[in-house]
Amino acid sequence: MSPLAAFGTALTALRVNALRSFLAMLGVIIGVAAVITTVSISQGAKRAIEEQISSLGANALMIRPNSSSRGGRRGGFGSGTPFSDADTIALRDLPYLAGASGTIGASGTLVVDGINWPSDVEGVDADYFDIRDIIIEDGRAFTQAETEARARVVLLGKTVERELFPYGGAIGSSVRINNIPFDVIGLIASSGQSSGGRDRDDIVYAPVSTVRSRLSGFRYPGVRDPVNAIWVEVRQGYDVETVTAQLTDFMTAQRNLRIGQEADFVVSNFADFIRARNESEKMFSVMLAAVAGVCLLVGGIGIMNIMLVSVTERTREIGLRLAVGARPRDIRNQFLVEAIVLCLAGGLFGLAFGAAGAYGVEKIGEFAVSIEPMVALIAVGASSLVGIIFGFYPAHRASQLNPIDALRYE
Amino acid sequence: MGALIQARDLRRTYRMGGMDVHALSGVTLDIEAGAYVAVMGASGSGKSTFMNMLGALDQPSSGQLIINDIALHERSADELAAFRNQTIGFVFQQFNLLARTTALDNVGLPLLYSGMATKERHARAAHCLEMVGLGDRMDHHPSQLSGGQQQRVAIARALANNPRILLADEPTGALDSRTTQDVMAIFDQLNREGITLIIVTHEDEVGAHARRQIIFRDGHVLEDRR
């Protein structure tokens, strides 16, 4: 019998027992749907984390003061003695760093021709854009000279540009931030929505010195030219963890702390933190995959069960087919093809339901999902494999029947 | 080169409940090409066992069976399948048609296993249905046909691959006397056209259509009338 004829015969037999075929498929449908949904969710989470890491700058470290403590009353994180521009300059000379930038956060209302928009104003050094992998889409970053001169220049994030300059022409225009005029010299490429729902494009960058003196008024007794934090970039080829330790030692000396005294600052590696969280999510997705695999196994056993029932019930049909000239392998192929068609159809239905489930989760849970063609292919392939494995035994049993015994079967 | 069918000391022993049951105990006979034979006898006489062996549905425990120069007792499962497909047409008492399958597809079943292309298969099956007078019932399912019509579909199926030998096991056992006559008329016609016809029956009127009656009892040939 030709493969096409075997396929036709199988399809006819499955159609004749449509309800039972559907019930047999159900296990595989649920199994594959579970695989697709769970893998899509964990892939989506993984992708979101990767985006987060790249948005932070893969080799970026942040140094900020620890909490202050005065007379037993502790301030919030970062409220301790701040760093200064002098620290930033000292850090730039270190061989294992590619750059350093102080940062001061402020907020302000931007006004252009009667349109106003409140936003975050981040005071940074020219190095900052390279450290955080921020892409300047148009225009330029500020120069060292502008930083030193507290120049009133600003770079706009995408959202700010859209709100203030809906018709374009931002570069070269003047923007008033808290009534102080700034020249727009560059535009930042979009870095997209962050996982917390915060719009990372709703931001403007100005030289740290300008923000300190004109916008935030950041002062700290005993510290000249203070900054909130310093971002540094580890030079290519240096180990991030070693550099973190070296930086801690360097800053301890810089801040005149005694050896053994508790450091009053923290060097954070966000990428590592996120990767660690990713590890636990990896465990989670392995467990989900195991559960989905069990579903598929149960589905396969369901198929085997139904196929065994089907072989028993159709013993006389098998006897007749043998009597008119079917070879044992024709009978085996017929039932094998039936099992494979069941599993494959179940796999495709499961794929559809799984994809629908994943999108449902995305909508309801505001969770990023990502359905990868490779995963879909593997899931459907695995379900056909289940069909072959679990269909083989019933099919083999059918093919071993003796014609006359099968014909006489009641 | 001898007769079309040559049985030599054919024996078939079953084990049932720890006891050996001799369904056939040494049957030797020849059947010539073009013969019209009725195999008769009481139930349990071995006539059906003999018939199943002729159709390669069952294998002898010992002895030789040569049909159309093919020694059935020493052939593989695949070779026996090809033999059933090409050399033999089998008609059963209970018709054994596939339910929820059209008459045309039922008749085409043996052609499916001989690897005939769909178009050719349908044409050949339609031709066979016309031969048994059911050219207008091709798309009917067995449940939509009378017993006589169903048996005629089964005969058409047996004829699909143009076999040399037609074996019929109690073909009229489930039919009334009028449809029995219709079916026997078809058999008579087929034999006249040259097919070797062997019918198992316990009805004398059916047996009378044949030119030779072989009567079985207790696994032996009791009588061989020509």
Side-chain angles (χ1 to χ4, degrees):
Chain A
M1 190 152 65
S2 71
L4 198 69
F7 185 73
T9 306
L11 227 52
T12 309
L14 294 175
R15 211 173 40 226
V16 164
N17 285 306
L19 178 65
R20 193 165 69 188
S21 304
F22 173 72
L23 289 176
M25 261 192 266
L26 206 52
V28 175
I29 293 177
I30 292 170
V32 171
V35 173
I36 295 293
T37 307
T38 55
V39 172
S40 299
I41 291 170
S42 61
Q43 288 286 335
K46 198 173 148 199
R47 184 165 289 184
I49 285 159
E50 274 161 11
E51 263 168 31
Q52 232 173 320
I53 289 173
S54 74
S55 77
L56 282 169
N59 289 315
L61 297 176
M62 187 172 92
I63 311 166
R64 16 172 215 189
N66 221 330
S67 64
S68 64
S69 178
R70 263 189 216 125
R73 185 179 168 277
R74 303 184 76 190
F77 198 75
S79 61
T81 310
F83 296 103
S84 67
D85 281 354
D87 293 321
T88 311
I89 291 161
L91 285 168
R92 282 203 190 109
D93 290 337
L94 294 176
Y96 46 82
L97 295 184
S101 164
T103 62
I104 294 176
S107 58
T109 300
L110 289 79
V111 181
V112 178
D113 295 335
I115 307 173
N116 69 82
W117 182 255
S119 187
D120 290 332
V121 183
E122 191 80 8
V124 298
D125 289 319
D127 281 358
Y128 188 75
F129 302 102
D130 283 339
I131 296 169
R132 299 293 308 272
D133 291 336
I134 292 167
I135 297 158
I136 296 164
E137 195 176 65
D138 209 354
R140 58 172 181 88
F142 25 80
T143 61
Q144 194 60 35
E146 280 169 328
T147 312
E148 278 160 21
R150 299 174 196 175
R152 294 180 308 230
V153 289
V154 71
L155 287 92
L156 306 184
K158 262 272 170 291
T159 303
V160 178
E161 185 214 352
R162 194 178 58 236
E163 293 296 335
L164 295 179
F165 299 96
Y167 308 110
I171 291 179
S173 299
S174 180
V175 177
R176 298 177 81 81
I177 306 176
N178 295 355
N179 268 330
I180 301 160
F182 281 78
D183 290 329
V184 178
I185 58 164
L187 298 173
I188 306 296
S190 174
S191 55
Q193 205 87 7
S194 75
S195 62
R198 200 168 66 91
D199 181 2
R200 283 196 310 237
D201 294 333
D202 190 3
I203 196 162
V204 302
Y205 296 101
V208 67
S209 53
T210 314
V211 170
R212 181 169 49 226
S213 61
R214 298 180 194 275
L215 290 174
S216 83
F218 182 43
R219 260 185 225 129
Y220 197 91
V223 179
R224 193 183 143 86
D225 299 334
V227 292
N228 290 140
I230 300 175
W231 282 83
V232 296
E233 184 180 4
V234 178
R235 195 179 287 281
Q236 209 75 52
Y238 285 86
D239 177 55
V240 175
E241 248 166 76
T242 313
V243 168
T244 304
Q246 283 171 315
L247 268 181
T248 308
D249 290 347
F250 179 79
M251 293 312 291
T252 302
Q254 187 81 4
R255 285 163 82 85
N256 296 320
L257 296 171
R258 275 177 286 116
I259 302 294
Q261 190 180 353
E262 197 192 341
D264 63 348
F265 63 92
V266 180
V267 180
S268 333
N269 180 349
F270 284 96
D272 265 5
F273 170 69
I274 288 162
R275 280 194 195 101
R277 206 175 67 186
N278 194 14
E279 279 303 308
S280 64
E281 295 205 355
K282 213 181 267 171
M283 269 301 295
F284 187 57
S285 58
V286 164
M287 273 173 62
L288 284 178
V291 169
V294 169
C295 284
L296 212 55
L297 187 75
V298 171
I301 292 169
I303 296 278
M304 179 144 94
N305 197 1
I306 290 289
M307 290 313 294
L308 280 172
V309 169
S310 179
V311 166
T312 306
E313 198 187 76
R314 286 153 69 192
T315 301
R316 281 174 68 97
E317 176 195 323
I318 294 164
L320 173 80
R321 287 178 184 275
L322 289 168
V324 300
R327 291 166 302 177
R329 87 177 80 126
D330 292 325
I331 300 294
R332 188 196 65 206
N333 290 350
Q334 179 189 339
F335 283 92
L336 203 52
V337 168
E338 276 185 34
I340 293 168
V341 168
L342 271 181
C343 284
L344 197 60
L348 291 173
F349 278 125
L351 182 60
F353 286 129
Y359 279 117
V361 166
E362 189 173 40
K363 282 270 174 291
I364 296 164
E366 289 181 1
F367 216 92
V369 303
S370 152
I371 296 172
E372 312 218 335
M374 200 58 199
V375 173
L377 211 67
I378 289 170
V380 174
S383 63
S384 333
L385 201 66
V386 163
I388 293 172
I389 292 168
F390 288 93
F392 190 83
Y393 174 66
H396 179 73
R397 249 172 70 145
S399 72
Q400 293 306 301
L401 286 169
N402 186 22
I404 193 64
D405 294 340
L407 269 171
R408 285 199 188 128
Y409 185 83
E410 293 296 331
Chain B
M1 184 153 157
L4 180 63
I5 300 173
Q6 303 167 46
R8 296 288 174 270
D9 195 26
L10 222 47
R11 289 169 192 274
R12 182 72 171 94
T13 310
Y14 302 100
R15 256 192 109 70
M16 273 175 95
M19 290 212 344
D20 283 340
V21 178
H22 301 283
L24 280 186
S25 34
V27 170
T28 299
L29 54 77
D30 284 353
I31 294 172
E32 308 298 328
Y36 193 164
V37 181
V39 177
M40 305 181 74
S43 65
S45 61
K47 62 182 190 301
S48 284
T49 304
F50 178 64
M51 194 65 148
N52 292 334
M53 258 164 219
L54 295 185
L57 298 177
D58 202 359
Q59 291 287 291
S61 303
S62 70
Q64 293 185 351
L65 181 60
I66 298 165
I67 300 178
N68 201 21
D69 294 328
I70 301 164
L72 293 187
H73 53 278
E74 55 192 29
R75 295 287 159 162
S76 71
D78 282 2
E79 287 168 326
L80 290 178
F83 171 81
R84 288 193 287 266
N85 188 244
Q86 299 295 326
T87 313
I88 297 288
F90 220 111
V91 178
F92 305 92
Q93 180 176 2
Q94 294 302 331
F95 323 139
N96 280 332
L97 299 177
L98 295 184
R100 283 175 272 199
T101 304
T102 63
L104 194 71
D105 285 340
N106 264 296
V107 174
L109 196 61
L111 304 171
L112 200 64
Y113 291 112
S114 50
M116 193 181 275
T118 310
K119 210 171 150 188
E120 213 182 331
R121 189 171 76 232
H122 285 166
R124 173 70 190 155
H127 173 70
C128 291
L129 278 170
E130 276 157 12
M131 276 166 65
V132 297
L134 288 175
D136 55 344
R137 295 281 193 277
M138 291 185 194
D139 296 329
H140 287 53
H141 289 181
S143 58
Q144 297 166 311
L145 298 170
S146 71
Q149 287 171 332
Q150 288 187 53
Q151 193 58 300
R152 275 145 69 192
V153 173
I155 293 168
R157 179 179 63 196
L159 296 173
N161 260 330
N162 237 336
R164 287 201 72 182
I165 304 165
L166 192 62
L167 303 172
D169 191 357
E170 302 273 11
T172 59
L175 304 177
D176 60 35
S177 57
R178 206 180 63 79
T179 45
T180 294
Q181 281 176 21
D182 293 346
V183 166
M184 290 314 295
I186 293 171
F187 281 141
D188 292 349
Q189 175 63 29
L190 287 169
N191 181 249
R192 270 198 296 279
E193 287 166 8
I195 201 163
T196 306
L197 189 58
I198 303 167
I199 300 180
V200 167
T201 184
H202 60 269
E203 292 171 69
D204 290 338
E205 311 90 83
V206 172
H209 282 258
R211 290 190 299 278
R212 177 181 175 189
Q213 287 84 25
I214 302 171
I215 294 138
F216 276 73
R217 187 197 274 174
D218 297 335
H220 292 99
V221 175
L222 181 72
E223 213 185 321
D224 195 345
R225 288 197 300 250
R226 295 180 195 239

